[in-house]
Amino acid sequence: MANVKLITPVLVVFGRLAVASSGYAQQEAFMTADKNADTMLDQPEFKVFIDTMAASGKPIALKVKQAGRYNLAFGRIDKDKNGLLTPNELQSLK
């Protein structure tokens, strides 16, 4: 039982680090894809973003890439339907 008490806090810390690194990976992928540095992604930039996230193992990005459903995913994420994705809109990929 003592081992469980010692392991639980370690697992919590690793879980938090995994979430933080996932957010960092998404931020890096966003900056890589945002070729014109306008802090928004158009459809071609979104494809680069998804491909980058898929390469890092993000399950939802892998599904989008494997199915080739970039346009469908873009349309669902683009809540205000302005043809551009903001970092806030991309939060739904978590």
Side-chain angles (χ1 to χ4, degrees):
M1 192 58 102
N3 287 341
V4 172
K5 288 181 182 179
L6 292 174
I7 292 172
T8 301
V10 171
L11 292 176
V12 169
V13 169
F14 279 123
R16 288 182 182 156
L17 287 173
V19 168
S21 68
S22 173
Y24 179 74
Q26 186 166 330
Q27 182 181 7
E28 287 292 313
F30 187 93
M31 291 181 345
T32 298
D34 186 18
K35 297 297 182 194
N36 61 359
D38 64 353
T39 68
M40 295 180 280
L41 301 180
D42 58 21
Q43 287 193 350
E45 291 172 329
F46 177 70
K47 183 181 183 307
V48 172
F49 174 79
I50 289 295
D51 290 349
T52 303
M53 292 300 293
S56 71
K58 180 80 169 165
I60 190 116
L62 284 166
K63 287 180 184 179
V64 170
K65 182 177 181 173
Q66 289 170 348
R69 303 303 298 255
Y70 298 96
N71 291 339
L72 177 65
F74 187 94
R76 288 188 177 169
I77 297 167
D78 186 14
K79 299 297 184 198
D80 60 7
K81 304 301 180 203
N82 68 349
L84 297 168
L85 300 180
T86 65
N88 286 340
E89 288 173 315
L90 287 168
Q91 292 300 313
S92 65
L93 288 176
K94 287 188 174 185

